[in-house]
Amino acid sequence: MKKVKPAEADVLLRLMQMADAPHSLEAMQYVVFQFDFQEYEQFIIEAPPGSIRFNNLIRVAQFYDELGALVEGGVIDPDVLFEIFPVPWAKVEPIIQGMRRELEWPDMFDHFEGLNRAYRRWWDEKRKRQKLAGETPPPAARPKVVSPPRPAPPRPVQPGARPGTPGRPGAARPAGALPARPGPGGGAFRRPASLVGSPVAKPVARPPVKARPKAARPSARKVSKPKGKGKGRKR
């Protein structure tokens, strides 16, 4: 940034006071953050002359038109001005062009438009200087290559071990066969080979054990009455 001369400093301070006034600050906030019209016909219907939005647009355009006149007249250095006041010409250009056509006013806010051309040139040069003076960006990180997991080496099978159970001696057993279990009647039941390993396979229910009959309890002894007792004696 260039050094500011005393005369330019006084002008800048006055301009900053004008921009910080409540009505100017409100108008600038509206244009920068809320203004989204792309067609003049739509704008003039929704924001007719005399409305708050119309007055905010005219206030901002008039302020930058005056700045453009000061820059063209050599009163202030544009490099110093652009560091403080960015130029929002791109947002309001369609509306101002529509006003020029309707009002037949071809040079309406022309200093504002000329100030924008100087601002674009200044910004392009500043961007180039920042890229040259700045540090080189770090290299992009390379994506990590994830190697597939290596298969585990097979374990040595001890002699005499059956398949699927290394290190455990025993005779090989066909797949799906289960050892016979003794049943209640001395028989055996076996799970079918087709259901081995199935999540719905259930063990075969054992037949119910017949209950042993209960021994009959001895009945109460009958006490026999002696003969002749209980009868009346003959007199």
Side-chain angles (χ1 to χ4, degrees):
M1 182 176 176
K2 297 181 179 180
K3 293 183 178 181
V4 182
K5 301 177 181 179
E8 292 178 345
D10 184 62
V11 175
L12 284 175
L13 290 175
R14 292 178 179 272
L15 292 175
M16 286 187 286
Q17 289 178 357
M18 293 173 58
D20 291 340
H23 57 277
S24 298
L25 189 60
E26 180 182 357
M28 183 61 66
Q29 290 177 351
Y30 167 73
V31 170
V32 173
F33 298 105
Q34 301 179 14
F35 192 87
D36 56 353
F37 292 98
Q38 299 297 329
E39 297 180 359
Y40 170 74
E41 290 75 12
Q42 181 184 2
F43 170 77
I44 208 66
I45 293 174
E46 298 186 17
S51 63
I52 296 177
R53 289 184 290 181
F54 185 89
N55 293 341
N56 287 338
L57 173 64
I58 296 299
R59 186 174 288 112
V60 172
Q62 184 65 30
F63 176 75
Y64 279 95
D65 197 59
E66 295 172 356
L67 292 183
L70 294 176
V71 170
E72 292 181 8
V75 178
I76 189 172
D77 190 350
D79 295 345
V80 179
L81 181 69
F82 295 149
E83 292 287 352
I84 303 174
F85 298 104
V87 182
W89 170 261
K91 299 202 67 174
V92 300
E93 179 181 6
I95 311 306
I96 293 180
Q97 295 292 354
M99 290 181 179
R100 290 175 177 177
R101 293 191 303 269
E102 183 177 1
L103 301 176
E104 298 181 358
W105 191 349
D107 60 342
M108 185 179 187
F109 302 123
D110 57 342
H111 296 296
F112 187 8
E113 185 177 7
L115 186 68
N116 177 71
R117 289 192 294 267
Y119 175 74
R120 298 306 306 174
R121 291 192 299 267
W122 170 84
W123 171 246
D124 292 339
E125 294 177 0
K126 180 180 180 179
R127 183 174 54 185
K128 293 179 182 179
R129 290 195 305 268
Q130 288 178 347
K131 286 185 177 181
L132 294 176
E135 298 179 358
T136 57
R142 297 181 180 179
K144 296 182 179 180
V145 180
V146 180
S147 58
R150 297 182 180 179
R155 298 181 180 179
V157 180
Q158 298 182 3
R162 60 190 179 188
T165 313
R168 186 178 177 181
R173 185 172 58 192
L178 295 177
R181 297 181 182 178
F189 64 94
R190 188 182 303 274
R191 188 180 301 175
S194 59
L195 296 180
V196 174
S198 174
V200 298
K202 296 182 179 179
V204 179
R206 297 183 180 181
V209 180
K210 295 182 180 180
R212 296 180 181 179
K214 297 182 180 181
R217 296 182 180 179
S219 59
R221 296 180 180 179
K222 296 182 179 180
V223 180
S224 58
K225 297 181 180 181
K227 296 180 180 182
K229 294 182 180 182
K231 294 182 180 181
R233 297 181 180 180
K234 295 180 179 181
R235 292 181 181 180

